[in-house]
């Protein structure tokens, strides 16, 4: 007998994207809708939590409607509702969580809360089947982590940032260079044209540590700009962007390669919004090019930034493992990936 | 015509079920607890109690504010998602109007009050007559002192309702004297039956376009507008 297909409806509202998606059998995108709010946050130079929450409640039903329409499915054919329950902005999370509960209740569908970073990692499964053990480098506006997975649904954080996330450092440096928000793509673009001439520090922390720190690097950039101003000198923003990016990328790449070898993993997965960074992509590709027994997977940019396909993909695995949440599920702004 | 009504716009959680003619169940809890955790389980248990399945619902009524931003959003999100996915009509009504309508057998001006901190209130002015609720002054966010001056102009007695009116009772009494009366604990919060009766006489809306009425800009937006207005002035 043929096994019935599993359809999971995913919902993501943890930050400034209102998103829903339907995934078939955990690996195939049936529909994927993202409504971005980036234009309305631009004038504030960053995401304003209250405004993000307001947009989510305005957009959510239209996004759901479009997701079902693109898939040509109804909730009668959906096996589970998966929703980001944390981490993220609490007011934003609550819109997705309560909408998910309403759908689950209305149709008697199982409900599954998903960790946002687990989602980012599982975006890779929409590109290539996972083989364990694996290592994931997660880099986004809120996260910089090395996560080890020995099997599906198991997450061990072997390294994380002690201060700023990589994406945060990008945004602050972009502001210092007077680049528009969001700054990451602008730095990436400038870096491609410039040279690493400013000799910025590489912050390695203790010998053997997989942790990261970017606040010292960020301060070094700010000081460089400040000192130049005081001396009445011009800085070269193209080269400064290139120097900053070179430092970030070198540290991320070196630690990822070292952890991949030490943990003897079969795959290395790149995850999170900063995975869209071309400098980081090509550096990792270079570093892993001669390691035949090890596979590097980098999802397309549309799956690196926040989306609900990744939440449905992670949710499918949890669904098959029998994990369920109740109608009393809450949003958890500081949810821990090792415990969710 | 089975109706579910939801009001989570203040810390009071009000849920009601009606068959269109008769109230079947009401649940009100008036404690400061987490709406996000409690609303769906409360709806589920109340519907179980009256043996009604979700697919037997014919209409959703929701109080869409003003009030606590997060509270309003939770109620509106649940209501519009339920209405959309069950393909049934939804009606959003003012939480303040529902509070005013909760004053039974009153004829005359009723002023519902939600506290908005720092001397401000969310309020509006309604005229109740023979069970009808007419809007006299739209819902707004206003300093209580300014509001009292507007009400004095009405030159008519006003009944203040809602448990948070107590916080402003002294100021109101000083400014309005004998023109102000207080319902106190006889009308502390919105009764689900009042919400349902208001919603039954109001227009249906498309669930996709039902949104909260915050009666106030987000702080960041207000500041942004203010600083832009200054820039405009200085460039003149
Ligand atoms: Zn993310």
């Amino acid at each position: 007998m043929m096994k019935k297909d599993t359809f999971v409806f995913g919902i993501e509202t943890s930050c400034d994207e209102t998103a829903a998606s339907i995934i078939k059998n955990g690996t195939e995108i049936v529909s994927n809708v993202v409504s971005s709010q980036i234009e309305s946050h631009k004038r504030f130079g960053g995401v304003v939590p209250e405004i993000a929450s307001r947009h989510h409640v305005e957009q959510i039903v239209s996004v759901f409607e479009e997701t079902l329409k693109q898939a040509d499915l109804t909730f009668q054919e959906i096996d589970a509702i998966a929703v980001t329950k944390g981490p993220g902005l609490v007011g934003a999370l609550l819109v997705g969580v309560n909408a998910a509960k309403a759908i689950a209740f209305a149709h008697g569908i199982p409900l599954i809360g998903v960790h946002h970073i687990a989602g980012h990692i599982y975006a890779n499964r929409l590109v290539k089947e996972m083989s364990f053990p694996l290592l994931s480098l997660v880099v986004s506006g809120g996260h910089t982590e090395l996560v080890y997975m020995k099997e599906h649904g198991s997450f061990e954080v072997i390294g994380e940032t002690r201060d700023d996330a990589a994406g945060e450092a990008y945004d602050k440096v972009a502001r210092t260079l007077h680049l528009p928000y969001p700054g990451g793509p602008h730095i990436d673009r400038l870096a491609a044209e410039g040279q690493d001439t400013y000799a910025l520090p590489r912050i390695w922390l203790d010998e053997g540590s997989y942790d990261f720190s970017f606040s010292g690097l960020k301060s070094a950039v700010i000081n460089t700009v400040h000192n130049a101003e005081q001396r009445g000198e011009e800085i070269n923003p193209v080269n400064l962007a290139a120097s900053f990016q070179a430092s970030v990328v070198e540290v991320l790449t070196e630690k990822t390669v070292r952890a991949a070898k030490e943990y003897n993993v079969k795959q290395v997965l790149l995850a999170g919004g900063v995975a869209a960074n071309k400098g980081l992509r090509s550096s990792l590709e270079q570093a892993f090019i001669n390691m035949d027994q090890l596979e590097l997977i980098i999802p397309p940019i549309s799956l690196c930034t926040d989306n609900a396909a990744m939440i449905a993909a992670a949710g499918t695995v949890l669904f098959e493992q029998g994990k369920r949440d109740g109608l009393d599920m809450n949003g958890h702004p500081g949810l821990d990936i090792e415990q969710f | 015509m089975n109706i579910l009504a939801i009001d989570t716009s203040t810390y009071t959680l009000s849920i009601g079920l009606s068959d269109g003619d008769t109230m079947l169940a009401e649940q009100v809890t008036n404690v400061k607890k987490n709406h996000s955790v409690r609303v769906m389980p409360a709806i589920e248990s109340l519907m179980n109690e009256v043996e009604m399945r979700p697919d037997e619902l014919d209409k959703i009524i929701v109080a869409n504010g003003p009030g606590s931003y997060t509270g309003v959003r939770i109620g509106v999100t649940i209501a519009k998602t339920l209405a959309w996915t069950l393909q049934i009509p939804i009606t959003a009504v003012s939480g303040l109007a529902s509070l005013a309508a909760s004053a039974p057998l009153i004829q005359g001006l009723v002023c519902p009050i939600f506290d908005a901190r720092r001397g401000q209130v969310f309020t509006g002015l309604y005229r109740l007559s023979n069970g009808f609720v007419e809007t006299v002054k739209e819902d707004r966010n206003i300093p209580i002192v300014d509001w009292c001056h507007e009400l004095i102009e009405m030159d008519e007695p006003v009944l203040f309702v809602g448990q948070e009116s107590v916080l402003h009772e002294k100021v109101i009494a000083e400014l309005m004297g004998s023109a102000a009366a207080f319902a106190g604990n006889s009308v502390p919060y919105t009764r689900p039956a009042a919400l349902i009766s208001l919603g039954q006489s109001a227009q249906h809306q498309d669930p996709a376009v039902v949104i909260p009425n915050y009666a106030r800009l987000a702080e960041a937006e207000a500041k942004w507008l203010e600083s832009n207005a200054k820039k405009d002035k200085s460039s003149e």
Side-chain angles (χ1 to χ4, degrees):
Chain A
M1 201 183 90
M2 237 174 67
K3 192 179 162 286
K4 187 197 156 287
D5 288 326
T6 301
F7 291 100
V8 173
F9 188 95
I11 301 170
E12 154 66 37
T13 64
S14 67
C15 190
D16 61 342
E17 322 276 1
T18 316
S21 168
I22 297 172
I23 296 296
K24 182 175 161 185
N25 299 327
T27 56
E28 195 183 313
I29 298 175
V30 185
S31 63
N32 187 21
V33 178
V34 180
S35 162
S36 175
Q37 311 173 356
I38 218 158
E39 287 304 320
S40 33
H41 294 282
K42 255 183 185 161
R43 59 186 161 144
F44 305 114
V47 175
V48 178
E50 174 60 23
I51 289 174
S53 306
R54 290 184 178 197
H55 279 291
H56 286 311
V57 73
E58 285 164 19
Q59 291 303 315
I60 195 141
V61 161
S62 313
V63 169
F64 290 169
E65 175 103 45
E66 182 62 24
T67 303
L68 285 183
K69 203 174 120 200
Q70 278 184 14
D72 196 18
L73 290 170
T74 66
F75 282 117
Q76 273 62 49
E77 292 143 297
I78 300 293
D79 296 279
I81 308 291
V83 60
T84 306
K85 68 173 171 184
L89 305 169
V90 64
L93 287 167
L94 290 182
V95 175
V97 163
N98 281 285
K101 293 198 283 189
I103 295 172
F105 169 69
H107 304 287
I109 307 174
L111 176 68
I112 298 155
V114 175
H115 191 284
H116 181 76
I117 296 304
H120 273 303
I121 295 172
Y122 269 90
N124 283 277
R125 199 171 177 228
L126 300 167
V127 176
K128 187 88 199 271
E129 184 55 87
M130 290 169 155
S131 52
F132 299 99
L134 64 78
L135 179 74
S136 185
L137 172 65
V138 184
V139 271
S140 72
H143 294 268
T144 310
E145 285 164 11
L146 277 166
V147 181
Y148 173 76
M149 291 180 70
K150 67 176 192 305
E151 61 195 11
H152 276 305
S154 148
F155 306 93
E156 185 193 337
V157 178
I158 63 168
E160 63 195 321
T161 182
R162 293 187 186 169
D163 40 58
D164 293 359
E168 228 177 319
Y170 267 90
D171 282 341
K172 285 179 190 160
V173 166
R175 221 171 296 159
T176 305
L177 296 178
H178 306 294
L179 297 168
Y181 170 86
H186 293 285
I187 293 191
D188 192 21
R189 180 175 47 78
L190 292 182
E193 299 163 19
Q195 301 290 323
D196 176 9
T197 56
Y198 277 91
L200 294 170
R202 271 63 175 157
I203 318 261
W204 298 109
L205 301 172
D206 336 314
E207 172 96 34
S209 169
Y210 292 119
D211 282 351
F212 302 97
S213 165
F214 295 104
S215 89
L217 173 62
K218 173 195 71 190
S219 304
V221 173
I222 294 170
N223 289 340
T224 302
V225 172
H226 196 77
N227 292 344
E229 271 169 12
Q230 288 204 324
R231 287 196 296 262
E233 295 168 9
E234 292 268 310
I235 56 142
N236 181 329
V238 176
N239 287 346
L240 189 53
S243 305
F244 166 74
Q245 175 141 312
S247 171
V248 173
V249 165
E250 185 179 330
V251 172
L252 289 175
T253 304
E254 194 277 342
K255 293 204 182 207
T256 305
V257 170
R258 188 153 50 81
K261 286 182 185 155
E262 187 189 325
Y263 284 80
N264 208 7
V265 297
K266 293 196 178 116
Q267 286 180 333
V268 171
L269 317 180
L270 188 55
V274 181
N277 184 285
K278 291 193 192 72
L280 179 58
R281 286 171 170 250
S282 71
S283 164
L284 285 170
E285 275 160 6
Q286 285 300 315
F288 285 102
I289 203 159
N290 290 321
M291 295 192 214
D292 304 336
Q293 68 286 39
L294 200 151
E295 190 179 20
L296 174 69
I297 303 174
I298 303 181
I301 287 166
S302 63
L303 292 175
C304 292
T305 48
D306 286 353
N307 65 84
M310 66 186 203
I311 301 303
T316 305
V317 167
L318 299 173
F319 173 67
E320 283 164 353
Q321 291 179 338
K323 300 222 170 88
R324 300 290 183 269
D325 279 275
L327 290 180
D328 61 350
M329 177 169 64
N330 200 3
H332 298 274
L335 189 65
D336 182 342
I337 195 170
E338 292 182 348
Q339 262 141 38
F340 90 100
Chain B
M1 183 50 136
N2 289 329
I3 301 171
L4 168 67
I6 306 167
D7 181 358
T8 58
S9 47
T10 64
Y11 68 78
T12 309
L13 168 59
S14 298
I15 295 166
L17 285 167
S18 156
D19 66 8
D21 298 316
T22 311
M23 282 304 291
L24 301 175
E26 286 195 356
Q27 181 178 325
V28 177
T29 52
N30 193 34
V31 288
K32 284 180 180 159
K33 278 190 174 176
N34 190 327
H35 281 324
S36 172
V37 171
R38 296 168 68 232
V39 182
M40 280 311 306
I43 292 172
E44 183 182 42
S45 80
L46 209 61
M47 289 182 66
N48 282 343
E49 190 70 25
V50 303
E51 295 175 28
M52 193 191 292
R53 295 191 317 268
D55 63 5
E56 292 172 317
L57 284 171
D58 301 300
K59 179 174 168 131
I60 310 276
I61 295 170
V62 65
N64 72 331
S68 137
Y69 296 166
T70 303
V72 170
R73 267 196 292 274
I74 289 171
V76 169
T77 299
I78 289 174
K80 70 192 274 186
T81 307
L82 278 178
W84 167 72
T85 199
L86 294 167
Q87 297 177 298
I88 57 175
I90 182 168
T91 298
V93 299
S94 154
L96 288 165
S98 329
L99 174 57
S102 301
L105 305 174
I106 301 291
Q107 307 281 333
L109 292 177
V110 177
C111 175
I113 298 273
F114 295 156
D115 182 46
R117 280 177 263 183
R118 284 178 244 144
Q120 305 213 359
V121 291
F122 291 118
T123 190
L125 189 65
Y126 295 90
R127 185 181 300 282
L128 268 60
S129 57
N130 305 319
F132 285 100
V133 182
E134 179 204 342
T135 307
V136 179
K137 286 177 184 283
E138 297 286 339
D139 293 351
R140 68 198 66 193
N141 172 219
I142 186 172
I144 187 65
V145 174
D146 298 357
W147 182 237
C148 287
H149 288 303
E150 280 197 35
L151 295 181
I152 290 166
E153 307 260 298
M154 301 293 301
D155 206 17
E156 236 184 284
V158 176
L159 177 68
F160 288 84
V161 297
Q163 57 195 352
E164 289 173 357
S165 61
V166 172
L167 300 168
H168 303 279
E169 201 171 316
K170 219 180 123 208
V171 176
I172 297 167
E174 254 167 43
L175 291 168
M176 296 183 63
S178 60
F182 298 90
N185 266 334
S186 64
V187 190
Y189 42 65
T190 296
R191 284 166 39 231
L195 178 59
I196 286 182
S197 94
L198 264 189
Q200 271 180 302
S201 54
Q203 291 266 316
H204 292 160
Q205 289 160 277
D206 175 353
V209 304
V210 168
I211 56 171
N213 171 23
Y214 302 100
R216 187 150 79 180
L217 291 174
E219 204 182 331
E221 201 163 16
K223 280 189 180 149
W224 184 84
L225 289 171
E226 200 178 300
S227 74
N228 270 43
K230 268 186 207 145
K231 266 183 227 156
D232 281 355
K233 262 213 170 119
S234 60
S235 69
E236 263 166 27

